[in-house]
Amino acid sequence: MSSQRCHTHKRCIYVVYSQTCPLSSHLVSSTFLLLVMSLSGLDREAKGQISTFSSFISTGSQKKETTENRSSPTHLVFPNIKNVRDPPPVCLDVRQKQRISTDSLSSETKAPALPEPVLPVQPKTMKDFQEDMEKVKSSGDWKAIHDFYLKTFDSFPELNAAFKKDATASFNTIEDSGINAKFVNAVYDALLNTPQDIQKTNPQFNNTSTYVIYAHLLRQIATLVEADHHFLAHWFKKLSQKRFKQLVERLLQFISLRLFPAKPEEFPPITKCSWWIPSASKVLALLNTANNLVHPPLIPYTDFYNSTLDHIDLMEEYHTWQSFGNSHRFSFCQYPFVISIAAKKIIIQRDSEQQMISIARQSLVDKVSRRQRPDMNMLFLNMKVRRTHLVSDSLDELTRKRADLKKKLKVTFVGEAGLDMGGLTKEWFLLLIRQIFHPDYGMFTYHKDSQCHWFSSFKCDNYSEFRLVGILMGLAVYNSITLDIRFPPCCYKKLLSPPIVPSDQNIPVGICSVNIDDLCQIMPELAHGLSELLSYEGNVEEDFYSTFQVFQEEFGIIKSYNLKPGGDKIPVTNQNRKEYVQLYIDFLLNKSIYKQFSAFYYGFHSVCASNALMLLCPEEVEILVCGSPELDMHALQRSTQYDGYAKTDLTIRYFWEVVLGFPLDLQKKLLHFTTGSDRVPVGGMADLNFKISKNETSTNWLPVAHTCFNQLCLPPYKSKKDLKQKLIIGISNSEGFGLE
């Protein structure tokens, strides 16, 4: 490698460090310090020499084949990384094997230890650097600052000396990376304000010319051993939200530009850099893990979405993942947290359609093989129900036609003419959900404080109706219907525990790890009381006088349950109160409703049994079932269709002026009134197919809604005041199922 080339790489390494500023406090201590100082098990000779950044790159290039064979980014196992699916077993790292085998030799056969390198002394402190920056403002002489950057980023030892709290120390705790983060951030922030000549020798990571060095660094991080990934994840979580988000965005941009480069000639041929995207995805997986270690997360899970992936062949990615899993061939489905919910919905819909076609084709073949005349109805899941016996008829139909659940749903109400073009199906869902979740029905308890439903813990002989609710949710996802259901997030976490139904029926399902935050989303007052118990400074045993026994009322009878064997005789004390709280929460959210929830779980998965479910996190399942709470009324205005009106008519102009001026709660009431739900489908407002029709009646009448068709019938009100008054009365005094 030429000296000029080395110099370029030496400067480019700062690109990685500076522009992805979170690297400053953590990847300096992981990639630079772990790799160079043997904390990750690198070759010992790397520790015995003064390595430069250019040698880092040249070494990486020379050992490319060895590295890929040893531990290709597509083969790695990440510890506790959420949403990385089915990682294959990985053999012990070759370098680690070498180290172990060397250590096992007798002292006579061991080679003499290499002397520790003499590390440079960095005279600059953060205060010195800041003083130099102040002097620049008055003198305009940047030489001292320029020299600092040139010296500090000339080699790994210089970098260690500058930014590690103790340049000779090996930090092996998840709590402290050993990096002076404030100094690192100050140096990075200052670079943004330096003259162009300094920035040219220390280029920012804002163009594709620096992607080669960035890719090499990402590969080094991706191929670290499992223990180092563990440290990294815990160090990443200590970053500030701003810097953490910047790092995520930089990695997403790196993937996007590699997929769709504006100037392909700026990149190496794809055959020579096929490892770029897998390496970046692995590093993103570490960041995703770090984000999930913090409660609340540093950034929303949606910030990991890469919208560029919406424009690739998602089904090919899905089929690759299904065929090869996590071995040999890379697929973005191995890292579903980067795939947007809209893209996942497409995958699930197409997978559902393929299953529907397959089931329908098999039914047709069976019919023909028996020499029977094919009937078009055999291609659908046909539901015939009476309005007066809606729940029992639906349960009977779904039980009888269990083999047809994955066919396209069509509903017929007995005694009523009409074809189901989607409206009857939606009405069936709305009416059934409305009846099942009514408090008098007793299946679910509505908690006013949290405004959500939870499973009743009452014991019964038959839990088939809970299975029916699960089937309803599955059919809704399968047929792209948004339901007006209010379950807490914990419910969807349990629904994915596990995401694939186990073949052994004795394996518990719907059991997940729960904590006081989960309880707070359902029963906030009880959660608050338990929090006070945990923080109580007095004598818990004497003041609370509680045992490991809880009481529940069932049909007017108080029943007691021990949280552990002999719990009624075990007092709650300052020492065991954490155990008591955890057992109590587990009892409420898992054990007391196990039979109810397991029936619900099996019902849902009887329809949605698909590997595509493994791509979803609990929050995304909720959005698929219930829609998104984010409203964009301007988008609704743009996509609205009109029947009898034109969008320029005075009544329509009044309508949108009123609606766009509504507070959020009234906007939600309008959406609930017209569609049966105050949430938006995954595809956005356009997917609602919202229509405003002219109602040729007296202007004294209130608006009418046909929720089955997302249609609002609006009389031609003559004034804005009259329209606003009638609309508010209409949407505030209905339950969202129309006034007819």
Side-chain angles (χ1 to χ4, degrees):
M1 184 178 290
S2 67
S3 59
Q4 182 179 2
R5 176 78 168 164
C6 290
H7 179 76
T8 302
H9 279 149
K10 181 165 55 180
R11 298 277 61 80
C12 283
I13 195 70
Y14 184 65
V15 170
V16 179
Y17 152 74
S18 63
Q19 184 63 27
T20 59
C21 48
L23 287 169
S24 56
S25 62
H26 292 73
L27 293 189
V28 168
S29 103
S30 62
T31 57
F32 299 164
L33 304 182
L34 292 177
L35 286 170
V36 176
M37 301 182 70
S38 299
L39 297 184
S40 63
L42 281 181
D43 301 320
R44 283 183 57 84
E45 60 266 26
K47 189 175 179 180
Q49 62 185 16
I50 303 299
S51 302
T52 63
F53 293 137
S54 56
S55 67
F56 164 74
I57 294 304
S58 61
T59 301
S61 300
Q62 293 162 7
K63 297 186 178 181
K64 175 181 178 181
E65 184 177 355
T66 304
T67 303
E68 289 177 347
N69 291 336
R70 175 185 55 78
S71 185
S72 170
T74 0
H75 296 163
L76 287 180
V77 176
F78 277 26
N80 302 321
I81 291 181
K82 184 179 181 181
N83 288 343
V84 175
R85 307 303 188 202
D86 298 327
V90 176
C91 64
L92 193 62
D93 187 86
V94 172
R95 296 166 302 183
Q96 198 172 27
K97 284 183 178 178
Q98 290 173 346
R99 185 174 67 246
I100 292 172
S101 61
T102 301
D103 292 342
S104 65
L105 296 175
S106 63
S107 58
E108 292 80 4
T109 57
K110 286 183 181 179
L114 293 173
E116 295 293 328
V118 179
L119 296 176
V121 177
Q122 176 57 258
K124 292 275 186 192
T125 63
M126 180 175 171
K127 183 178 180 181
D128 296 333
F129 179 78
Q130 290 174 333
E131 288 176 352
D132 287 345
M133 288 297 297
E134 289 297 323
K135 291 177 183 177
V136 168
K137 294 179 181 179
S138 57
S139 67
D141 183 4
W142 289 89
K143 185 177 184 305
I145 298 298
H146 196 181
D147 290 345
F148 170 80
Y149 284 115
L150 289 174
K151 175 180 171 59
T152 301
F153 297 97
D154 183 66
S155 69
F156 291 121
E158 292 284 0
L159 192 62
N160 293 337
F163 296 117
K164 286 194 71 176
K165 296 173 184 175
D166 183 348
T168 61
S170 298
F171 285 81
N172 58 357
T173 168
I174 61 175
E175 301 301 328
D176 186 5
S177 64
I179 296 297
N180 186 342
K182 290 184 178 179
F183 192 11
V184 172
N185 293 335
V187 170
Y188 163 71
D189 294 337
L191 182 63
L192 300 178
N193 300 314
T194 58
Q196 286 299 314
D197 59 334
I198 297 180
Q199 293 194 31
K200 284 180 180 178
T201 54
N202 295 275
Q204 300 300 292
F205 189 57
N206 56 5
N207 60 70
T208 54
S209 64
T210 59
Y211 272 18
V212 172
I213 183 65
Y214 191 45
H216 277 279
L217 178 59
L218 294 177
R219 182 168 64 175
Q220 292 293 337
I221 301 167
T223 54
L224 287 173
V225 296
E226 186 173 320
D228 292 335
H229 286 154
H230 178 73
F231 282 105
L232 271 176
H234 283 276
W235 292 344
F236 277 139
K237 76 179 184 182
K238 296 180 183 298
L239 292 171
S240 69
Q241 182 189 52
K242 176 183 175 182
R243 295 183 186 275
F244 186 90
K245 186 174 182 178
Q246 285 175 335
L247 178 53
V248 171
E249 290 173 346
R250 184 61 54 187
L251 284 163
L252 293 174
Q253 182 186 46
F254 174 83
I255 292 173
S256 298
L257 291 177
R258 176 61 275 191
L259 282 173
F260 300 103
K263 297 179 179 179
E265 64 275 8
E266 293 183 347
F267 292 97
I270 189 65
T271 54
K272 293 186 177 181
C273 59
S274 59
W275 49 271
W276 281 25
I277 290 177
S279 296
S281 300
K282 290 287 185 182
V283 178
L284 271 172
L286 280 174
L287 290 165
N288 182 59
T289 299
N291 196 50
N292 292 321
L293 288 172
V294 184
H295 300 285
L298 286 169
I299 59 176
Y301 69 94
T302 53
D303 283 357
F304 282 90
Y305 287 167
N306 190 333
S307 57
T308 305
L309 303 184
D310 296 354
H311 305 286
I312 66 174
D313 190 339
L314 293 167
M315 291 312 294
E316 182 181 356
E317 293 287 319
Y318 179 64
H319 291 144
T320 298
W321 175 61
Q322 279 195 307
S323 301
F324 297 95
N326 283 12
S327 60
H328 303 298
R329 291 189 60 177
F330 171 80
S331 167
F332 281 108
C333 291
Q334 296 167 344
Y335 307 96
F337 54 85
V338 300
I339 304 176
S340 69
I341 181 63
K344 288 172 184 172
K345 183 183 179 184
I346 292 172
I347 293 174
I348 291 171
Q349 280 183 333
R350 291 184 183 174
D351 188 56
S352 300
E353 289 167 2
Q354 289 174 1
Q355 291 188 46
M356 287 179 181
I357 292 170
S358 178
I359 296 292
R361 183 186 292 117
Q362 187 60 48
S363 297
L364 186 61
V365 169
D366 291 344
K367 203 85 169 178
V368 172
S369 66
R370 292 195 296 268
R371 297 184 179 182
Q372 297 174 344
R373 175 176 289 185
D375 181 3
M376 287 301 296
N377 286 327
M378 64 184 291
L379 303 179
F380 299 93
L381 169 59
N382 294 288
M383 300 287 297
K384 293 184 179 181
V385 295
R386 297 167 293 176
R387 289 184 182 271
T388 53
H389 300 78
L390 194 62
V391 175
S392 59
D393 283 2
S394 298
L395 184 59
D396 291 342
E397 284 281 272
L398 291 172
T399 302
R400 279 195 310 110
K401 300 176 179 178
R402 188 173 300 177
D404 296 336
L405 292 179
K406 293 194 175 185
K407 294 180 181 178
K408 184 70 175 176
L409 176 63
K410 281 198 172 184
V411 175
T412 301
F413 287 99
V414 176
E416 299 180 20
L419 295 175
D420 184 7
M421 304 302 291
L424 293 179
T425 294
K426 185 175 180 183
E427 183 181 10
W428 176 70
F429 274 112
L430 291 174
L431 294 176
L432 200 54
I433 292 297
R434 182 187 188 188
Q435 186 168 333
I436 288 174
F437 281 84
H438 195 282
D440 293 343
Y441 208 71
M443 288 179 63
F444 298 93
T445 302
Y446 182 73
H447 296 271
K448 291 183 179 180
D449 293 340
S450 57
Q451 297 183 336
C452 71
H453 290 93
W454 190 241
F455 295 77
S456 170
S457 60
F458 294 167
K459 303 295 184 292
C460 61
D461 297 329
N462 189 354
Y463 296 95
S464 58
E465 291 184 347
F466 288 99
R467 187 182 181 91
L468 171 62
V469 179
I471 292 174
L472 283 177
M473 278 184 54
L475 288 172
V477 172
Y478 209 64
N479 291 271
S480 300
I481 301 289
T482 301
L483 298 181
D484 186 29
I485 293 179
R486 291 294 178 270
F487 280 132
C490 173
C491 173
Y492 301 98
K493 185 164 64 171
K494 288 167 67 68
L495 202 57
L496 293 179
S497 301
I500 300 297
V501 178
S503 55
D504 185 353
Q505 293 292 318
N506 294 320
I507 296 177
V509 297
I511 299 292
C512 68
S513 175
V514 289
N515 54 43
I516 202 164
D517 293 331
D518 295 313
L519 183 64
C520 188
Q521 294 167 345
I522 307 169
M523 310 169 194
E525 285 190 7
L526 177 57
H528 178 70
L530 293 176
S531 296
E532 289 190 334
L533 171 65
L534 291 174
S535 59
Y536 187 67
E537 296 180 355
N539 189 308
V540 170
E541 182 177 2
E542 293 181 358
D543 297 344
F544 284 83
Y545 201 68
S546 297
T547 63
F548 277 69
Q549 186 181 55
V550 294
F551 301 90
Q552 283 190 337
E553 181 181 347
E554 297 180 13
F555 303 109
I557 301 174
I558 303 297
K559 292 189 175 182
S560 62
Y561 298 91
N562 287 345
L563 298 179
K564 58 191 299 188
D568 57 325
K569 297 180 175 60
I570 303 174
V572 179
T573 66
N574 293 64
Q575 289 72 36
N576 64 17
R577 56 184 170 181
K578 286 185 179 180
E579 181 190 11
Y580 168 79
V581 169
Q582 185 56 46
L583 288 174
Y584 192 10
I585 295 172
D586 184 63
F587 172 79
L588 291 173
L589 305 187
N590 282 325
K591 293 180 179 178
S592 67
I593 60 162
Y594 177 74
K595 290 184 178 179
Q596 294 88 326
F597 197 91
S598 62
F600 172 75
Y601 172 93
Y602 282 117
F604 179 82
H605 286 274
S606 67
V607 185
C608 289
S610 168
N611 287 333
L613 273 184
M614 297 179 69
L615 302 177
L616 301 173
C617 65
E619 295 85 354
E620 291 170 331
V621 177
E622 180 180 10
I623 290 176
L624 282 177
V625 173
C626 307
S628 169
E630 302 296 327
L631 302 189
D632 184 351
M633 302 308 285
H634 290 282
L636 182 63
Q637 181 184 15
R638 290 192 297 270
S639 62
T640 297
Q641 304 169 28
Y642 300 97
D643 180 18
Y645 282 117
K647 63 180 180 181
T648 55
D649 288 350
L650 191 61
T651 302
I652 297 301
R653 295 208 306 270
Y654 286 156
F655 174 81
W656 287 114
E657 287 174 10
V658 168
V659 170
L660 294 176
F662 273 165
L664 181 61
D665 64 321
L666 283 180
Q667 289 179 345
K668 286 191 172 185
K669 284 184 178 180
L670 171 65
L671 202 63
H672 196 281
F673 175 72
T674 53
T675 70
S677 173
D678 62 4
R679 293 195 169 202
V680 184
V682 172
M685 290 292 195
D687 277 9
L688 282 174
N689 296 317
F690 183 67
K691 179 185 285 188
I692 299 179
S693 299
K694 192 171 186 177
N695 195 355
E696 297 288 0
T697 57
S698 169
T699 54
N700 293 325
W701 283 36
L702 297 175
V704 173
H706 300 286
T707 55
C708 302
F709 301 101
N710 299 339
Q711 183 179 18
L712 177 66
C713 297
L714 197 65
Y717 299 112
K718 301 301 181 184
S719 71
K720 181 177 175 181
K721 179 180 179 182
D722 191 28
L723 185 148
K724 182 176 181 179
Q725 182 184 24
K726 296 288 197 307
L727 187 61
I728 291 176
I729 292 173
I731 65 177
S732 300
N733 294 276
S734 73
E735 296 183 78
F737 294 87
L739 301 180
E740 294 181 320

